[in-house]
């Protein structure tokens, strides 16, 4: 199978790329700017005997997404699985949020996933086969104070997942999403050790998650074992949201 993973140069996306490649899939590693990181993911996959290429594209730009889709199809022949993982976060009270912050978060997190779905789904519909997994967040489920923008962008991803699952289910395509809790990636690099300890203490499982915890859930949702699951939002959060 050919898998396109957005935002796969770092964090959850990079772990997901390696996980799929380790299970024999050809992986298209998308990134926005960090070419060195994307190429190191590709190198790690190839060194382990897998198949991967890197594709630079800002997912918020429809033309760039179309071009990337065409390049992946030209290299690998098709796209069977789409993982919409690229995302950015933003902190701040609503009254301090600038229009530019709104555009940055919503264009990346929401328009980005919309753009890739719109570009890739015709390929899947034509084959009557395909899987999409979107990466939302527990804050899209329960909302976070001081992160209204991020929370609303991730709630939109859950809505996108449910509507799209209804729309393309009859075409044999499953669409699901995962809502990670606190995962150890660059996105949380600003947290102090005390913040992390407090978050661990709050979680029933007493720990934060790894990118691999999310990667394995995404992989499961794309596997044959999940063939009767669509339109669902799966929490990967150590029990922070129950
Ligand atoms: P990360 O380590 O900050 O990595 C973000 C990735 O997204 C990078 O590969 C980055 O590419 C890419 N990216 C950002 N903007 C992009 C754009 N416009 N077009 C294409 N790629 C873009 O993030 P992460 O923590 O792994 O998060 C991955 C996803 O999980 C996000 O959707 C995030 O909201 C969600 N999530 C994370 C957590 C958490 O605790 N970490 C919790 C819940 C949900 P470059 O390297 O080129 O910049």
């Amino acid at each position: 199978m050919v898998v396109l993973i957005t935002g796969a140069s770092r964090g959850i996306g990079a772990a997901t790329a390696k996980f799929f490649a380790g299970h024999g899939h050809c992986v298209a590693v998308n990134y926005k700017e960090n070419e060195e990181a994307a190429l190191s993911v590709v190198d790690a996959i190839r060194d382990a005997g897998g198949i991967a290429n890197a594709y630079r594209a800002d997912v918020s730009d429809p033309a760039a997404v179309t071009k990337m889709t065409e390049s992946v199809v030209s290299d690998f022949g098709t796209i069977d699985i789409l993982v919409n993982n690229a995302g950015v976060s933003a902190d701040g009270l609503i009254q301090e949020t600038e229009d530019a912050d709104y555009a940055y978060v919503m264009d990346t997190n929401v328009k980005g996933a919309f753009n890739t779905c719109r570009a890739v789904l015709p390929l899947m519909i034509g084959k009557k086969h395909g899987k999409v997994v979107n990466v939302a967040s527990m804050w899209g489920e329960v909302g976070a104070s001081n992160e209204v923008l991020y929370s609303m962008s991730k709630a939109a991803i859950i809505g996108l997942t449910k509507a799209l699952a209804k729309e393309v289910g009859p075409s044999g395509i499953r669409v699901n999403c995962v809502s990670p809790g606190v995962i150890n990636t660059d996105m949380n690099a600003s947290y102090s050790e005390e913040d992390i300890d407090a978050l661990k203490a709050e979680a029933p499982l007493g720990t934060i998650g790894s990118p691999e915890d999310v990667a394995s859930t995404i992989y499961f949702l794309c596997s044959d074992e999940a063939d009767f699951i669509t339109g669902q939002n799966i929490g990967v959060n150590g029990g922070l949201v129950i």
Side-chain angles (χ1 to χ4, degrees), residues 15-16 19-20 210-222 236:
T16 305
F19 204 95
F20 273 91
S210 69
E212 290 73 23
D213 289 324
V214 185
S216 58
T217 308
I218 294 171
Y219 183 80
F220 164 72
L221 286 170
C222 296
V236 189

Side-chain angles (χ1 to χ4, degrees), residues 145-214:
S145 166
N146 210 45
E147 286 193 65
V148 167
L149 196 46
Y150 182 71
S151 301
M152 65 192 262
S153 77
K154 292 304 185 174
I157 290 298
I158 296 170
L160 164 75
T161 302
K162 292 181 179 181
L164 197 59
K166 290 184 179 177
E167 186 165 307
V168 299
S171 299
I173 299 160
R174 297 192 294 102
V175 186
N176 290 292
C177 78
V178 294
S179 282
V182 183
I183 309 297
N184 185 15
T185 70
D186 293 348
M187 195 172 266
N188 294 322
S190 63
Y191 283 147
S192 67
E193 219 170 289
E194 293 77 48
D195 293 336
I196 295 288
D197 285 345
L199 287 162
K200 284 181 179 171
E202 229 179 282
L205 291 182
T207 188
I208 64 166
S210 69
E212 290 73 23
D213 289 324
V214 185

Side-chain angles (χ1 to χ4, degrees), residues 24-44:
H25 298 275
C26 301
V27 181
V29 172
N30 160 255
Y31 67 102
K32 182 185 175 190
E33 282 162 354
N34 203 332
E35 183 161 45
E36 201 182 320
L39 292 178
S40 92
V41 172
V42 167
D43 285 346

